[in-house]
Amino acid sequence: MPVTCKEDKRHLMARVAGELDHHGARAVMEELDRRIDQARPQELTLDLSGLTFADSSGIAVLLRAYRRMGQVRGSMRVVNTPAQAGKVFKAAGLERLIRFE
């Protein structure tokens, strides 16, 4: 599961590609944790434009990133969510916590 990150001042942009399922979720969580700890960003933008599939493991990834951003007193937004993943995240009620654009 490739995660590509770019930093610009206090903003971290992370692009996730491929399938976000139980096989790849741990690696994505670990990479996001590492980059958040390193950058201490004010905002995390999670770009899901390269995502081809998400299941409940994807929900866990987003919730963990949201929680980590709260620990560093930052905010998080999710952009370019594909339709299939959007249905999974909406069914879980994530839009009540996380800003989706």
Side-chain angles (χ1 to χ4, degrees), residues 37-53:
D37 288 342
Q38 186 177 58
R40 310 290 287 183
Q42 288 179 334
E43 183 176 47
L44 168 65
T45 299
L46 198 54
D47 181 351
L48 303 181
S49 60
L51 198 63
T52 57
F53 175 80

Side-chain angles (χ1 to χ4, degrees), residues 5-7 10-14 35-36 39 41 43-45:
C5 295
K6 293 182 184 179
E7 295 176 44
R10 300 283 318 271
H11 181 257
L12 178 63
M13 168 72 83
R35 296 303 290 257
I36 291 168
E43 183 176 47
L44 168 65
T45 299

Side-chain angles (χ1 to χ4, degrees), residues 50-71:
L51 198 63
T52 57
F53 175 80
D55 62 12
S56 60
S57 298
I59 296 167
V61 168
L62 267 61
L63 286 173
R64 182 167 172 154
Y66 175 78
R67 190 170 44 249
R68 291 289 297 122
M69 287 305 296
Q71 291 171 346

